[in-house]
């Protein structure tokens, strides 16, 4: 997995996988528990040794890889909301990365939250998912939202006005930002969506094939 585009595809798949949670939550008030908890765990992976370590292995972003392939190929009309959240968080992240004060504050807040638990593992996230949602949503509201134009979340009013759903949407967006940071770190750039779509798509398909072979 030495190909630069494999790393770019992994990070973008991470963004996409968190992004698909937003319309789920906004339109139904619920989302995939497995994917949501994976998003939370990725936010706390601030010192990974490899790109895949952010997700505890590429098998945990299988849905993200499938979604990314759809976004980059034929499924764009059906995926417009996800594309909007993906590009919105990439834009916010580009501004965030120029703001060292904001990055330091995020790091401090994450350390403070993680310090409340013995270990940030599957069991911890599952048992404390509501508390973690509100804590991470606070990071998004307090530090990230003021940096850029707010992302307009479209959905049903009954869900968008629910405080728990609001916290979960912000947590999902924070997950998008975390993966977007990784994407910039491994050499991602906006021009690749114009000139390198096929390479990214092929890399995502190779990773997906690798996961399927392993299973």
């Amino acid at each position: 997995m030495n190909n630069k585009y494999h790393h770019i595809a992994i990070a973008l798949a991470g963004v996409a996988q968190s992004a698909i949670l937003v319309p789920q939550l906004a339109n139904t008030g619920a989302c995939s528990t497995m994917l949501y908890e994976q998003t939370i765990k990725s936010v706390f992976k601030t010192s990974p040794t490899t790109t895949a370590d952010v997700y505890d292995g590429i098998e945990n972003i299988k849905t993200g890889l499938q979604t990314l392939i759809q976004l980059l190929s034929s499924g764009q009309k059906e995926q417009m909301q996800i594309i909007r959240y993906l590009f919105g968080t990439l834009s916010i992240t580009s501004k965030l990365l120029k703001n060292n004060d904001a990055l330091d504050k995020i790091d401090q807040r994450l350390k403070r939250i993680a310090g409340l638990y013995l270990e940030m593992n599957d069991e911890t996230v599952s048992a404390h998912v509501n508390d973690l949602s509100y804590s991470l949503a606070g990071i998004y509201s307090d530090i990230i939202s003021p940096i850029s134009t707010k992302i307009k979340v479209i959905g049903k009013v009954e869900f968008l006005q629910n405080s728990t759903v609001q916290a979960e949407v912000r947590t999902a967006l924070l997950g998008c930002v975390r993966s977007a940071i990784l994407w910039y770190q491994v050499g991602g750039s906006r021009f690749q969506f114009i000139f390198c779509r096929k390479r990214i798509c092929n890399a995502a398909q190779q990773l997906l094939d690798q996961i399927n072979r392993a299973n």
Side-chain angles (χ1 to χ4, degrees):
M1 217 170 60
N2 295 323
N3 185 334
K4 166 186 172 182
Y5 288 98
H6 283 139
H7 298 287
I8 286 168
I10 290 169
L12 265 184
V15 183
Q17 187 162 291
S18 291
I20 64 175
L21 300 173
V22 179
Q24 286 179 12
L25 287 162
N27 290 303
T28 71
C31 68
S32 163
T33 300
M34 182 180 72
L35 297 185
Y36 184 71
E37 292 180 3
Q38 180 59 49
T39 284
I40 289 176
K41 284 183 288 179
S42 73
V43 171
F44 289 97
K45 293 289 179 68
T46 53
S47 301
T49 51
T50 69
T51 313
D53 278 352
V54 174
Y55 313 103
D56 294 322
I58 59 169
E59 64 277 3
N60 290 316
I61 50 161
K62 182 176 180 179
T63 302
L65 288 165
Q66 292 168 332
T67 303
L68 180 62
I69 291 165
Q70 290 172 350
L71 296 180
L72 294 173
S73 51
S74 60
Q76 288 190 14
K77 276 188 181 175
E78 297 79 8
Q79 308 281 350
M80 280 311 293
Q81 281 192 17
I82 298 168
I83 289 173
R84 202 163 53 79
Y85 298 132
L86 186 146
F87 276 110
T89 49
L90 292 182
S91 177
I92 285 174
T93 304
S94 70
K95 293 177 182 173
L96 175 63
L97 288 170
K98 296 167 188 167
N99 190 325
N100 289 330
D101 182 51
L103 290 169
D104 287 343
K105 284 178 181 173
I106 292 170
D107 189 52
Q108 289 165 14
R109 290 271 285 268
L110 287 174
K111 283 177 179 171
R112 201 179 309 148
I113 296 165
L116 299 173
Y117 307 96
L118 286 174
E119 190 180 351
M120 196 55 69
N121 54 22
D122 291 358
E123 293 73 22
T124 299
V125 172
S126 183
H128 301 281
V129 67
N130 286 339
D131 289 339
L132 287 166
S133 294
Y134 279 101
S135 296
L136 295 177
I139 291 176
Y140 188 85
S141 298
D142 299 344
I143 304 171
I144 296 174
S145 278
I147 285 173
S148 181
T149 306
K150 288 186 178 180
I151 294 172
K152 184 175 173 56
V153 175
I154 297 169
K156 294 184 178 175
V157 175
E158 63 201 272
F159 302 123
L160 294 176
Q161 290 181 344
N162 181 292
S163 61
T164 301
V165 172
Q166 289 173 0
E168 290 168 344
V169 165
R170 288 179 182 125
T171 298
L173 290 172
L174 182 63
C176 290
V177 170
R178 195 280 162 262
S179 288
I181 289 172
L182 181 67
W183 179 68
Y184 282 112
Q185 287 172 334
V186 297
S189 65
R190 298 292 284 268
F191 87 91
Q192 288 165 353
F193 288 101
I194 303 168
F195 299 109
C196 308
R197 289 165 71 98
K198 192 170 182 182
R199 286 185 182 181
I200 298 170
C201 200
N202 287 344
Q205 187 61 58
Q206 288 164 10
L207 291 162
L208 196 55
D209 292 344
Q210 186 179 322
I211 294 167
N212 291 331
R213 281 197 301 271
N215 294 334

